[in-house]
Amino acid sequence: MRRNQWKIAVLFLLPYIVIFSVFRFVPSVGGLLVSFFKWSLGGNPKFIGVDNYVNLAQDSSFYVAIKNTLAFFVLTVPVLVVASLLLAMLLNQKLAGRKVMRTISIIPYVLIPSIVGIMWNWIYDNNFGLLNYYIKKLGGGPVFWLTNERFALVAVSIVVVWTYIGYDMILFLAGLQGIPKETYEAAEVDGASRMQVFWHITLPLLKPVTMMVSTLTLVNVVQLFDQIYVMTNGGPGTSTLTMVQYMYTSAFTNYELGYGSAIEVVILLLLMVLITVQNRIGNRERKTA
Amino acid sequence: MKQPRWIKPLFYAVVILACLFFILPVVWTVISSLKPESDIQSYPPSWIPAQVTLSNYRTVLEKFPYFTWMANSLIVAVVGTLGILVASTMAAYALARFHFRGRRVLYQSIIVMLLVPMQAYVIPLYLMAGKMDLLNTLQGLILPSVANVTSIFILHAFFRELPMELEEAARIDGAGEFRIFWQIMLPLSGPALSTVTILTFIANWNAFLWPMIAVRQDIMKTLPVAISQYWGAVNQNASFQYGTALAACCMAVLPTLVVYFALQRYFVAGIASSGIKG
């Protein structure tokens, strides 16, 4: 009984589709349009073709921003994927109190990201911060985590890892629990070692989850903004200036909305490229394995 | 595969260390917020406060429009969540259960937006909100949050799994589509709706970039934005008071923690399901 129900469907869909179109779809497409204009706040927008992109290509700050975004990606995504997988495998064991541990591990993800930034500012504080106190106790000198160009990006990366590790762990845990017990029992009968089981059963079966976790984490890291704004605001110098930071500054501090839109377009392109590359690498590994 | 005897203690050790890593920064924040400023900026730092005081909290509440910010945050998060519950539930139901042309394409063009973060369309959104006089208003913060995609994803997956027979039986009894939705399907949807509620409430409560851009007036700000502008990097100087900053932070995360602990079962299920089928 296949009936066409489009009339009732329209009624059900209408509120969502209207809001979705106005506040999400149109802006997503409109960004490309705005990027072809010299669009300052107050002044009349003027069509300038691809000039914004030409200027971007010659803007050294923009290259710094791309470099920093990629640096955040390299410093956080692999650590997050590996550490959260290991943690998930631990919590997949029969350990007493593992529910409590699961609950605790997601707390960082639930907290307001900008406030997480302030919490860590205090921990990283040059003079009275907890971290420097313990480093000193172990015999090291104080590290100027957020005010030294060499450390700021690492310091923020640690916070990113702290925030997302529990979230990624839950995704892996769900994946691990989806692997049927019989598979492991069969391997045991065949006399497989722990390492063999991990490399030849767990990892291949977990592949879709791993790809998904990497993709989600990648999206989360590329769009990183709140913590950076609160912790370093892109500094010191330009050492933590990311593409999103630069977009924000261009559009809402310098009021170059067209220029900012061009950066947004590049952010989206970079995101798509990274996702594609990551998935390619993942799929190639499966073939060679 | 027999486990060697030393392996369980090792597992426990690693897991406990990991948990300490997650929880200690939060505990340290709470402890510090309860110390007078002279004890906060003192050396060495101590885990047990010599003197417990609420003076930082009093300062935050007396010297700043903290309750106004909190009210703004609450209105935005609650109304936004309700809006998502109504709009997304109906839309996801239609996309999952009704037969009409273009259903798949429509669903996919919504879902693909999961990969397009707010950061990639916030400027046009700002221009449009300006045209519609939504800047510096709470509606302007709520409406864009209702265009939520994760909820569609979760609810669509849930409605697809509900057995067809329920619907067919009701239809034979002469029930209209709306009654089937309202009286049969919705009462079955408790878990999925709880998941969406907690995920979207926390996302709305934590929202930062859009509220910061859309609202410039101090008394219209939400907590994350107001706190970050008074106590974040933009405002750090020599006389910076960590006590007030941390007290403001603790009060702001309290509601999320309450919601999280109350509904955490659904939260975990929500994260897991929003991933697995994606």
Side-chain angles (χ1 to χ4, degrees):
Chain A
M1 191 176 64
R2 284 228 145 201
R3 313 175 312 153
N4 195 346
Q5 298 170 296
W6 67 268
K7 277 183 194 153
I8 183 92
V10 167
L11 274 179
F12 271 68
L13 282 162
L14 200 62
Y16 182 81
I17 294 294
V18 169
I19 293 176
F20 175 80
S21 308
V22 175
F23 295 104
R24 195 133 183 182
F25 186 74
V26 172
S28 299
V29 181
L32 191 62
L33 206 67
V34 178
S35 74
F36 294 128
F37 286 83
K38 180 164 182 53
W39 200 313
S40 319
L41 214 65
N44 272 336
K46 190 173 133 226
F47 183 80
I48 52 168
V50 294
D51 278 11
N52 282 327
Y53 293 95
V54 174
N55 291 337
L56 262 187
Q58 295 161 347
D59 183 343
S60 60
S61 299
F62 184 60
Y63 287 105
V64 172
I66 295 182
K67 193 199 84 198
N68 287 338
T69 304
L70 292 175
F72 273 121
F73 169 76
V74 171
L75 279 178
T76 56
V77 176
V79 177
L80 271 170
V81 172
V82 173
S84 60
L85 172 60
L86 291 178
L87 203 57
M89 291 179 53
L90 275 181
L91 287 192
N92 200 31
Q93 310 283 321
K94 286 196 184 62
L95 299 182
R98 63 179 180 169
K99 280 223 169 104
V100 179
M101 293 159 185
R102 200 182 60 182
T103 305
I104 289 176
S105 65
I106 321 179
I107 289 178
Y109 177 76
V110 192
L111 301 178
I112 303 174
S114 49
I115 279 172
V116 165
I118 295 178
M119 285 169 46
W120 280 87
N121 281 351
W122 170 226
I123 292 169
Y124 282 137
D125 190 74
N126 287 344
N127 304 314
F128 302 108
L130 204 54
L131 205 53
N132 274 342
Y133 169 69
Y134 287 118
I135 289 176
K136 213 170 189 178
K137 257 196 155 175
L138 294 173
V143 178
F144 294 162
W145 291 101
L146 296 172
T147 49
N148 183 326
E149 299 205 2
R150 280 169 54 212
F151 296 118
L153 198 127
V154 176
V156 177
S157 297
I158 292 174
V159 177
V160 173
V161 169
W162 184 77
T163 306
Y164 288 111
I165 203 167
Y167 171 82
D168 286 352
M169 190 268 293
I170 293 294
L171 294 173
F172 273 124
L173 202 53
L176 284 170
Q177 284 163 357
I179 299 177
K181 289 246 169 356
E182 295 79 40
T183 326
Y184 289 117
E185 281 158 15
E188 198 172 348
V189 171
D190 290 345
S193 74
R194 279 186 159 271
M195 276 321 248
Q196 281 174 326
V197 170
F198 177 73
W199 285 111
H200 298 293
I201 297 179
T202 312
L203 265 194
L205 285 175
L206 221 48
K207 185 117 216 173
V209 186
T210 313
M211 302 305 291
M212 183 202 66
V213 173
S214 332
T215 307
L216 284 177
T217 311
L218 162 64
V219 177
N220 284 335
V221 169
V222 170
Q223 69 180 27
L224 192 67
F225 179 78
D226 313 10
Q227 293 94 328
I228 299 181
Y229 179 83
V230 170
M231 297 179 75
T232 62
N233 202 15
T238 52
S239 58
T240 54
L241 181 80
T242 61
M243 293 167 79
V244 173
Q245 276 280 325
Y246 195 48
M247 176 276 289
Y248 176 81
T249 314
S250 304
F252 299 104
T253 309
N254 305 335
Y255 292 112
E256 295 283 354
L257 295 169
Y259 200 59
S261 287
I263 302 175
E264 287 191 327
V265 172
V266 180
I267 292 174
L268 202 53
L269 282 178
L270 180 85
L271 198 55
M272 296 306 146
V273 169
L274 286 176
I275 290 174
T276 314
V277 169
Q278 215 173 44
N279 281 291
R280 280 270 169 79
I281 293 173
N283 287 332
R284 173 142 21 95
E285 272 169 11
R286 178 165 49 198
K287 269 168 211 150
T288 54
Chain B
M1 283 175 289
K2 229 173 118 0
Q3 290 182 338
R5 248 206 320 210
W6 48 268
I7 207 142
K8 266 273 157 80
L10 180 72
F11 283 175
Y12 276 112
V14 175
V15 172
I16 288 170
L17 276 180
C19 284
L20 287 177
F21 173 59
F22 294 133
I23 199 74
L24 283 185
V26 184
V27 174
W28 180 238
T29 304
V30 177
I31 291 175
S32 303
S33 75
L34 294 169
K35 294 179 183 174
E37 192 67 31
S38 55
D39 285 6
I40 291 178
Q41 310 225 6
S42 75
Y43 202 85
S46 80
W47 283 90
I48 298 153
Q51 186 190 345
V52 173
T53 168
L54 288 175
S55 67
N56 295 319
Y57 290 83
R58 204 172 308 126
T59 311
V60 172
L61 297 180
E62 278 170 4
K63 296 226 172 104
F64 299 90
Y66 198 86
F67 286 116
T68 313
W69 296 333
M70 187 165 262
N72 292 339
S73 268
L74 267 180
I75 293 170
V76 169
V78 171
V79 178
T81 304
L82 287 176
I84 290 171
L85 281 177
V86 174
S88 292
T89 307
M90 286 173 57
Y93 183 76
L95 289 167
R97 308 292 290 199
F98 292 152
H99 298 289
F100 58 95
R101 276 181 62 164
R103 180 172 82 158
R104 270 178 71 92
V105 177
L106 184 59
Y107 175 69
Q108 278 159 358
S109 27
I110 293 173
I111 287 306
V112 80
M113 286 292 166
L114 275 177
L115 294 179
V116 182
M118 163 74 79
Q119 278 77 342
Y121 64 86
V122 70
I123 294 171
L125 182 63
Y126 173 78
L127 291 169
M128 286 182 54
K131 283 258 182 300
M132 296 161 82
D133 274 332
L134 287 172
L135 296 177
N136 283 311
T137 67
L138 294 185
Q139 303 91 287
L141 298 186
I142 293 165
L143 285 168
S145 78
V146 177
N148 178 286
V149 179
T150 318
S151 57
I152 293 284
F153 183 75
I154 294 172
L155 291 165
H156 179 266
F158 177 81
F159 285 133
R160 280 194 79 92
E161 307 273 298
L162 287 180
M164 261 318 181
E165 291 77 32
L166 283 173
E167 204 179 320
E168 302 291 332
R171 200 167 284 133
I172 289 165
D173 288 346
E177 293 301 338
F178 194 77
R179 251 190 74 191
I180 296 177
F181 169 69
W182 189 251
Q183 292 192 336
I184 297 175
M185 297 306 190
L186 270 195
L188 293 171
S189 315
L193 294 177
S194 307
T195 298
V196 169
T197 305
I198 180 170
L199 286 181
T200 54
F201 179 85
I202 289 180
N204 289 350
W205 182 265
N206 293 0
F208 187 72
L209 182 64
W210 176 241
M212 183 160 83
I213 290 169
V215 172
R216 291 281 154 128
Q217 236 179 316
D218 212 41
I219 53 154
M220 296 305 290
K221 280 177 185 153
T222 55
L223 276 175
V225 179
I227 290 177
S228 75
Q229 284 174 356
Y230 277 98
W231 292 288
V234 284
N235 226 2
Q236 293 248 7
N237 52 39
S239 63
F240 188 80
Q241 302 262 303
Y242 262 111
T244 28
L246 298 174
C249 289
C250 288
M251 285 189 279
V253 294
L254 202 64
T256 11
L257 287 179
V258 169
V259 173
Y260 171 63
F261 283 115
L263 293 173
Q264 58 124 334
R265 192 157 55 95
Y266 299 107
F267 191 80
V268 172
I271 295 182
S273 73
S274 67
I276 288 308
K277 289 159 192 158

